[in-house]
Amino acid sequence: MAITNLIATSTCTTDRFFSSSCKPNHFLARRLPQTTHRDRVLTPCCYCELSLKVVKPVVMPETSDVIGIVSFLTGKSYFVTGATGFLGKVLIEKLLRASPEIGKIFILMKSKDQESANKRLYDEIISSDLFKLLKQMHGRSYETFMKRKLIPITGDIGEENLGMSSETADKISEEIDVIINCAGRTTFDDRYDAALSVNALGPDRLLRFGKECRKLKLFLHVSTAFVTGKLEGTVLETPLCIGENITSELNIETEVKLASEVERKFHGSERSKKLKELGYERAQRYGWEKAYTFTKAMGESVIHRKRGDLHAVIIRPSCIESSYKEPFPGWLQGIRMTAPLILGNGKDQIPDLFGDYQSSCDVIPVDMVANAIIAAMAKHGCGNVLPEVKVYNVTSTSHVHPLRMGEIMDFSYQHLCNSPLTETTTKDLERMKFHSSLEDFTSSVSNAITKQEREMKNREGEVESHTTLSMKGKRKLKYFVSLAKTYQPYMFFQARFDDTNARSLLQELSMKERKMFEFDGSCIDWEHYFINIHLPGLKRELFRQKSS
């Protein structure tokens, strides 16, 4: 009872921070103009007509325990990859807080030995401020509780047999009920060999291990909503399969061989450069923008083709940002997603973006993604027959007033004018200017840096005009141009994500479950979220990184 009350209290106390917890945001919202669909490979998972119908309110069942999430979690044991990442940590925290009677959580950790794995567990999870509510719940027994529930397993999803010894694999396979794959190489311009090994081949290694787990009830894979490679239209919750909605010309083994040849041919920094270039070229050839989403698509196709009799669910979140409510608002790990764009003006005072003000920016808080994973896990882990892979888009653009990129920049400007990122940053920020061409963007950024350097010279007593960029200025310009090219597909993004399956799942939750495992993005007041939650969280993360 005490634990249940603490969970409920944590949810209720965060409500104090919300002026309107479920008020749709009408700020600057307007309908997107229709655009011409580009030629791409195969598109049955994405059609061109933009659906802007109003989402009907979710009618909640009156029963107290419809899916039975907590009862499902109780006593079950889990094998989790990517547990020290942003989403993985939040997921583990919620599992332990919502169901203290959960079984073991086996965590695959890339470590040289068991001692190193134990240290990583303590340093990156047990000692993290993310778990402060659990510390309050368990008091002095907190570390004992965590070490009893969390079992670090030395291994690597990028290696054969997951890098585990046969003895370890045999032992834990007797206990595992659910496999949750949160691991992934998420860098947009990653080396092709590394992205292939983890994103494309990693799911295959996990599936092979899963088939040895005699108690396994579900294989859950975290992908990305951008996995189809589409930039326009409506992206459906449809499984990806080579030969169906991915061209049959794509052969994963061929891609691995191509990457291996480049790896053998080149060395040092040249090798890394060539592998990044190869990933971009191969993605573009088959209709994707980046190696990241391309290899994630391969991973989904592997699950579809090789799962056999395993029940499989794929969760596709969009841009995962700081927590909305749980375990507390604004928790963030790393400078990610929209942060580099915000910091461009807030920290470096470059008020320019290469993109479209009206482009869709699908953002979802990390705690909502974790809740959706848990709800889907309980729904499909009870032995119900799954004739095909079930896909859930955990997103926000399907609603009548989707978030725009321009709105994010306006919210950031509003917040940072009143509360600068650093003491040395002036409050006199300029509003962000959006450029439709890379040439205009580059010219404007170059002029802004030149102006900054000239003003600095004048402050130092050098009155002569300064028109040529210094080496530092040239490096800064190169960084912003590189950032613009990396983010380009998402800065002109016009697609909307269908979330029919996700909303159906939400409808099956009872009122009690809905309160504990909320993932309805339509309840988010985006202005409030960015100004009062996300940006303060981003500042805390910047301070944490600077301190460490």
Side-chain angles (χ1 to χ4, degrees):
M1 178 64 73
I3 290 172
T4 304
N5 287 339
L6 183 52
I7 294 173
T9 301
S10 70
T11 304
C12 294
T13 52
T14 54
D15 289 339
R16 294 180 303 168
F17 294 93
F18 297 85
S19 58
S20 177
S21 61
C22 268
K23 186 173 101 177
N25 175 26
H26 299 273
F27 184 70
L28 293 175
R30 65 189 72 170
R31 182 175 178 136
L32 280 174
Q34 292 285 351
T35 55
T36 304
H37 197 295
R38 300 193 322 182
D39 292 333
R40 302 192 68 85
V41 184
L42 294 174
T43 60
C45 58
C46 178
Y47 53 89
C48 295
E49 183 182 356
L50 294 180
S51 175
L52 294 174
K53 62 179 183 294
V54 177
V55 175
K56 295 180 180 179
V58 175
V59 179
M60 301 311 303
E62 294 181 0
T63 51
S64 62
D65 197 23
V66 177
I67 290 182
I69 297 177
V70 174
S71 60
F72 173 82
L73 297 177
T74 302
K76 303 289 192 311
S77 289
Y78 305 83
F79 183 83
V80 182
T81 67
T84 58
F86 180 43
L87 173 59
K89 276 188 185 177
V90 174
L91 175 62
I92 285 176
E93 192 278 340
K94 185 58 181 282
L95 286 171
L96 293 173
R97 184 162 49 86
S99 180
E101 300 304 319
I102 200 171
K104 298 174 184 176
I105 302 179
F106 297 97
I107 299 175
L108 189 69
M109 283 194 162
K110 191 174 181 180
S111 305
K112 62 180 181 180
D113 53 36
Q114 192 60 47
E115 183 180 352
S116 300
N118 293 337
K119 188 176 187 305
R120 278 198 70 190
L121 176 69
Y122 185 83
D123 292 345
E124 299 183 39
I125 295 181
I126 296 176
S127 297
S128 172
D129 65 338
L130 176 68
F131 295 84
K132 65 183 182 183
L133 278 183
L134 275 170
K135 292 176 184 176
Q136 293 175 21
M137 287 170 63
H138 296 280
R140 293 181 179 178
S141 63
Y142 167 71
E143 286 192 15
T144 301
F145 169 79
M146 295 290 278
K147 289 176 181 178
R148 187 172 73 249
K149 297 295 181 180
L150 305 181
I151 314 299
I153 303 296
T154 302
D156 186 348
I157 193 173
E159 296 180 4
E160 286 304 307
N161 302 317
L162 303 175
M164 296 188 294
S165 67
S166 56
E167 294 80 9
T168 298
D170 290 343
K171 182 179 179 181
I172 65 175
S173 66
E174 296 294 313
E175 301 185 54
I176 295 168
D177 295 284
V178 179
I179 290 175
I180 306 172
N181 181 27
C182 294
R185 301 275 301 196
T186 59
T187 305
F188 290 156
D189 59 344
D190 202 2
R191 285 176 47 145
Y192 197 36
D193 57 337
L196 281 168
S197 179
V198 174
N199 297 343
L201 303 181
D204 184 31
R205 299 181 187 112
L206 276 170
L207 283 171
R208 278 184 268 139
F209 173 63
K211 291 174 183 178
E212 300 299 321
C213 299
R214 62 180 184 84
K215 291 173 54 185
L216 192 70
K217 297 171 177 60
L218 186 69
F219 181 97
L220 189 144
H221 173 76
V222 180
S223 183
T224 170
F226 302 95
V227 71
T228 64
K230 310 305 172 187
L231 303 179
E232 301 170 353
T234 301
V235 180
L236 303 178
E237 295 169 301
T238 306
L240 293 180
C241 182
I242 293 176
E244 294 182 16
N245 45 23
I246 298 178
T247 175
S248 57
E249 294 177 6
L250 176 62
N251 184 292
I252 297 176
E253 291 182 1
T254 299
E255 300 304 308
V256 172
K257 288 178 182 177
L258 286 172
S260 297
E261 288 171 5
V262 172
E263 187 179 18
R264 286 194 300 268
K265 186 175 180 180
F266 298 94
H267 302 279
S269 59
E270 185 71 7
R271 172 191 287 171
S272 181
K273 178 184 175 183
K274 292 294 184 182
L275 283 167
K276 288 181 179 182
E277 291 174 352
L278 177 64
Y280 177 77
E281 291 166 3
R282 300 304 290 178
Q284 288 282 312
R285 172 174 178 173
Y286 286 103
W288 275 260
E289 296 295 330
K290 304 290 180 183
Y292 164 55
T293 49
F294 183 39
T295 53
K296 291 294 273 187
M298 292 185 210
E300 282 201 18
S301 72
V302 166
I303 294 170
H304 187 277
R305 187 174 75 253
K306 296 189 175 183
R307 71 183 180 106
D309 296 329
L310 294 182
H311 291 181
V313 168
I314 293 175
I315 302 292
R316 290 180 184 165
S318 53
C319 297
I320 307 177
E321 290 287 18
S322 61
S323 59
Y324 190 49
K325 290 186 179 182
E326 293 186 89
F328 50 86
W331 189 80
L332 189 64
Q333 177 174 288
I335 304 303
R336 49 187 294 108
M337 300 303 176
T338 59
L341 306 176
I342 294 169
L343 294 177
N345 192 21
K347 185 170 178 284
D348 296 296
Q349 295 182 275
I350 302 297
D352 297 277
L353 278 179
F354 177 41
D356 180 4
Y357 183 99
Q358 287 294 331
S359 62
S360 297
C361 187
D362 200 300
V363 168
I364 195 77
V366 64
D367 48 335
M368 289 193 174
V369 181
N371 287 339
I373 289 172
I374 294 170
M377 189 166 64
K379 163 74 175 175
H380 299 291
C382 296
N384 299 325
V385 176
L386 275 176
E388 63 175 13
V389 177
K390 191 74 173 181
V391 177
Y392 291 98
N393 284 342
V394 185
T395 57
S396 61
T397 53
S398 67
H399 305 294
V400 67
H401 295 297
L403 183 66
R404 311 294 189 195
M405 180 57 70
E407 291 179 87
I408 294 179
M409 294 302 115
D410 287 341
F411 298 153
S412 302
Y413 172 79
Q414 180 181 338
H415 176 86
L416 295 173
C417 279
N418 296 322
S419 179
L421 281 172
T422 65
E423 292 181 0
T424 57
T425 304
T426 177
K427 292 185 179 182
D428 299 326
L429 294 177
E430 296 182 42
R431 284 190 178 275
M432 294 295 284
K433 299 188 292 286
F434 285 77
H435 302 271
S436 58
S437 78
L438 186 61
E439 292 75 18
D440 289 346
F441 168 80
T442 304
S443 175
S444 186
V445 172
S446 179
N447 291 337
I449 298 173
T450 300
K451 180 182 176 182
Q452 289 175 0
E453 292 191 336
R454 184 187 303 120
E455 290 174 351
M456 182 175 292
K457 291 281 186 180
N458 291 340
R459 283 196 299 269
E460 293 173 354
E462 299 181 31
V463 294
E464 68 270 14
S465 62
H466 184 76
T467 57
T468 305
L469 287 177
S470 66
M471 288 303 297
K472 183 179 179 181
K474 289 178 181 178
R475 288 195 299 269
K476 191 173 184 178
L477 176 62
K478 183 179 180 181
Y479 164 76
F480 276 99
V481 172
S482 175
L483 189 68
K485 290 178 179 178
T486 298
Y487 275 81
Q488 179 179 354
Y490 311 102
M491 297 299 291
F492 293 92
F493 192 72
Q494 300 293 349
R496 302 278 285 273
F497 297 106
D498 172 54
D499 63 351
T500 301
N501 290 346
R503 293 194 64 78
S504 239
L505 177 64
L506 191 65
Q507 288 176 345
E508 293 188 50
L509 269 61
S510 68
M511 290 298 291
K512 180 180 177 182
E513 289 174 329
R514 173 78 177 268
K515 187 173 183 179
M516 288 183 67
F517 302 97
E518 177 63 79
F519 59 92
D520 185 3
S522 67
C523 282
I524 299 175
D525 180 332
W526 290 114
E527 184 174 7
H528 165 73
Y529 171 74
F530 274 94
I531 292 176
N532 299 320
I533 297 176
H534 181 63
L535 288 167
L538 176 57
K539 287 180 182 177
R540 288 193 297 271
E541 177 62 8
L542 283 171
F543 179 77
R544 185 192 68 80
Q545 290 191 4
K546 185 177 180 180
S547 299
S548 61

